Amino acid sequence: MLSCVHTHLLQRLRSPLSPGSRAGLGAALVLLGFISALEMADGSGAHYLALMAAAPVLAAGFASWRVVLAVGAAATVLGTAFAFSEPRVSLGTAASVAAIVLVTALVSAVAGVRQRQAEQIVELSRLASVAQQAVLRPLGPQVGTLAVAARYISSTATAEIGGDLYEAIDTPYGVRMIIGDVRGKGLDAVRLASIVLGSYRHVAYERADLRAVVSDLDRAVARNVGDEDFVTAAVVEERGGTLTIVNCGHPPPLLLRRGCVIPLEPPAPAPPLGFMPSVQPRVERLEPGDRLLLFTDGLGEARRDGEFFPTADRAWRLLGHGTVADGLASLETALEEWVYGRLDDDIALVLMEYAGPSSGTTVAVPSWEVGTAES
């Protein structure tokens, strides 16, 4: 009898099953087989039919509503067969079969609701991923004379996406990079991130002075946000081995040099974009082999048991070897192990390496001095 039910189920479920549906179906079949064995071993009447109602309930915890309905149908068929095997069908036996039908209907409806919600989450996640990928295009492996890699680490598997942003482009004024973090989450944050990046991809080619780049970005943000919205950002330029950084309320980049990790704090603090920041550039002379890590505040806020991830202590060991892409992969692995796979915020990472001056390199002049000379 059970083999016939199994064949019936396979005929009903022709499409490939998900792992959850296979698990639910397998557990339900085992339970139905166990109850059937009890009934046949007892032999004196249908005493265990009500237990068959547990089979669709068990399947509903893992499987789709179609699998749950099929399991309930199989349980009903088995229950009816055992009921009519009695010389006389009692009221209790009939009630047990009716209970199987009722429970099957209820748990199939619940499984249907759960399945629709799961499908909506998957679809929203897919749409969010597409929207974010349209904003954040891949970087590297080479931008100008720099080796560059970028990584975006999402804090959640659902559709709640963040507004972290990054870009690196080769301009007439050197390689220019930006990393930023929009206040808030969701599609509004992605929209503002796209505005910032769109403006940056234009003005980075047009403005010789990084301070002028910041002013243009600030106006773009101010035109498109409310009074309490803002974007933290750091804009970086490498020109002939000279590194220039302007920082608007963003975590300072980390310079990795000969085993040391140096936070490149700005000469003076400045507010985020949207609050009319007045920035002072920080200028550093790069050495061959130097690496620079740009990151959003999700990295600094990652913690477990109240202890923050020791970024500065581990940065050289994780990022100082292999390619820049290898370094970011190592950092992501160490970070996820630290927080047990549960991040509170999205994280954007950009790692670049300076190999040394290339042939035909012009005299190193910071962009803000270029702007002064041309004005």
Side-chain angles (χ1 to χ4, degrees):
M1 182 183 299
L2 189 61
S3 62
C4 294
V5 172
H6 184 262
T7 302
H8 175 70
L9 282 176
L10 292 179
Q11 292 174 346
R12 291 286 301 274
L13 304 171
R14 295 177 180 176
S15 60
L17 298 180
S18 66
S21 291
R22 286 197 297 269
L25 177 59
L29 287 177
V30 170
L31 180 60
L32 288 177
F34 178 72
I35 297 172
S36 298
L38 281 180
E39 287 286 4
M40 289 185 290
D42 184 61
S44 60
H47 297 153
Y48 306 101
L49 291 189
L51 295 178
M52 289 188 176
V57 174
L58 181 61
F62 308 95
S64 67
W65 69 268
R66 290 183 176 85
V67 173
V68 174
L69 189 60
V71 168
T76 303
V77 170
L78 281 173
T80 303
F82 280 116
F84 280 99
S85 67
E86 293 183 332
R88 181 171 177 271
V89 179
S90 65
L91 182 60
T93 300
S96 297
V97 175
I100 296 173
V101 175
L102 179 61
V103 169
T104 297
L106 290 175
V107 296
S108 295
V110 171
V113 172
R114 177 180 55 78
Q115 184 178 350
R116 283 194 298 272
Q117 291 176 341
E119 290 172 350
Q120 288 174 352
I121 290 174
V122 170
E123 180 63 14
L124 287 174
S125 297
R126 188 187 67 82
L127 292 175
S129 178
V130 169
Q132 204 154 40
Q133 288 172 8
V135 173
L136 298 177
R137 60 189 182 187
L139 296 186
Q142 196 79 18
V143 180
T145 59
L146 302 179
V148 179
R151 217 167 180 91
Y152 192 98
I153 307 173
S154 179
S155 63
T156 175
T158 63
E160 187 180 13
I161 54 179
D164 293 20
L165 60 97
Y166 55 76
E167 181 60 288
I169 51 180
D170 190 12
T171 76
Y173 310 105
V175 176
R176 286 179 164 177
M177 295 174 282
I178 185 173
I179 191 159
D181 190 356
V182 176
R183 178 182 180 271
K185 287 184 177 291
L187 291 177
D188 286 341
V190 174
R191 180 188 63 83
L192 183 54
S194 69
I195 291 171
V196 173
L197 286 175
S199 299
Y200 174 76
R201 288 163 182 159
H202 173 71
V203 301
Y205 286 100
E206 303 296 328
R207 302 293 192 183
D209 190 341
L210 283 188
R211 291 173 294 188
V213 172
V214 168
S215 296
D216 287 345
L217 294 179
D218 177 67
R219 286 192 291 271
V221 171
R223 286 193 298 266
N224 292 277
V225 299
D227 294 337
E228 298 181 357
D229 296 323
F230 57 84
V231 181
T232 68
V235 182
V236 179
E237 175 192 282
E238 184 278 322
R239 178 181 171 86
T242 296
L243 187 72
T244 306
I245 305 171
V246 291
N247 196 315
C248 305
H250 199 77
L254 299 180
L255 177 64
L256 285 69
R257 172 179 292 168
R258 299 193 301 271
C260 297
V261 179
I262 307 167
L264 299 182
E265 300 280 355
L273 300 174
F275 292 130
M276 303 176 63
S278 177
V279 294
Q280 296 185 28
R282 172 161 181 164
V283 180
E284 295 284 336
R285 184 64 185 170
L286 292 174
E287 299 177 3
D290 281 355
R291 290 188 172 186
L292 186 73
L293 176 66
L294 311 175
F295 58 95
T296 53
D297 60 5
L299 179 61
E301 295 172 358
R303 58 184 174 180
R304 67 176 183 193
D305 303 326
E307 186 176 0
F308 291 98
F309 180 74
T311 303
D313 294 339
R314 294 193 178 188
W316 177 260
R317 185 167 69 253
L318 295 170
L319 302 171
H321 308 281
T323 67
V324 287
D326 293 337
L328 289 187
S330 298
L331 176 58
E332 181 178 2
T333 300
L335 182 64
E336 289 181 346
E337 290 177 353
W338 180 268
V339 299
Y340 306 118
R342 297 188 299 272
L343 288 169
D344 295 328
D345 195 6
D346 291 359
I347 301 173
L349 303 169
V350 177
L351 183 63
M352 75 87 166
E353 180 177 6
Y354 174 69
S358 60
S359 59
T361 300
T362 58
V363 177
V365 180
S367 64
W368 54 279
E369 290 186 2
V370 173
T372 302
E374 292 182 355
S375 60

